[in-house]
Amino acid sequence: MSIEDQIDSAKKIIDSEITNVTSNSLLIKSGGCASCHILFKLIESLSLNVSDATDLLSEVLYQDAQLNERFV
């Protein structure tokens, strides 16, 4: 998968998970946080390690100010 494809996939996952968490806070496990939930969803969905998923999340949010605002 090219980096552009990975960024597009990550963007869709992040957007979807922000919507999911906003509409159902029970998705966040006790003691957890929404940011971690989204990071772990990227790891799971794209088969990434923590470091790569963190870099990808940062890159997507850097490139998309609206998505970054929703994420925050």
Side-chain angles (χ1 to χ4, degrees):
M1 178 183 291
S2 73
I3 188 65
E4 291 84 14
D5 291 339
Q6 210 172 36
I7 288 172
D8 286 341
S9 295
K11 189 174 184 176
K12 289 174 187 169
I13 292 166
I14 295 164
D15 183 53
S16 174
E17 287 307 308
I18 290 171
T19 300
N20 291 342
V21 167
T22 301
S23 65
N24 183 4
S25 63
L26 295 176
L27 291 172
I28 308 303
K29 294 181 170 118
S30 179
C33 72
S35 299
C36 294
H37 171 81
I38 293 170
L39 180 63
F40 291 132
K41 187 59 83 168
L42 285 175
I43 291 168
E44 177 185 308
S45 299
L46 299 176
S47 300
L48 299 172
N49 63 44
V50 174
S51 178
D52 289 343
T54 303
D55 290 344
L56 184 59
L57 177 61
S58 295
E59 183 64 27
V60 169
L61 296 177
Y62 175 77
Q63 290 183 15
D64 189 328
Q66 271 189 319
L67 191 60
N68 183 54
E69 187 63 31
R70 287 185 62 217
F71 182 82
V72 173

